[in-house]
Amino acid sequence: MSNQTNLKEYGILLTAIEVHGKEFSSRMRGYDSDEVNLFLDQIIKDYQAFEHVIADLEKENNELKRKLNQSAHPANISAPVPNSANSASPTQSQQLEDLLNRVRDLEFHCWGRTKG
C-alpha cells in the first residue's frame, strides 16, 4: 500500500495484510481456531475500511489546502487584484476562514490533532 508509511506515522502499527498473515501456535485447550479466524477476518475488513477512509480524508485535506493556498495568493487567480494586496473583501475573508476551519477539522478527524 502506498500510504503504509503514512499509517505508521500516525501510530497505526498493523495493516490488514499483517493481520491476515499472522500465525498463532496451537495448544491443548486453546481458543477455537475457526472462531479466531472469523474474528480476524472482521478486523481485516475494518482495517481495509480505515485505510480507505484515511486515504480519502488525506486526499480531501490536500485538495482543501491547495484551494486555500490558491485563495491566499491572488496572483494564481485570473480575477483582477485589488490595489492593496492586504485588502480582502469581507466575503473573501470569511471564505478563507471557513476553508481554514474545515482543514483544521479534517486534520483533527484524521489524526486527533491539527498538524503544524
Side-chain angles (χ1 to χ4, degrees), residues 85-103:
N86 294 332
S87 64
S89 72
T91 304
Q92 288 173 329
S93 296
Q94 184 60 42
Q95 288 174 341
L96 289 173
E97 187 65 29
D98 290 344
L99 279 173
L100 187 57
N101 287 333
R102 180 103 191 261
V103 169

Side-chain angles (χ1 to χ4, degrees), residues 60-75:
E60 182 179 1
N61 191 14
N62 289 334
E63 179 65 20
L64 289 171
K65 285 180 180 180
R66 185 189 62 76
K67 286 180 182 179
L68 181 63
N69 191 30
Q70 283 181 341
S71 297
H73 296 92

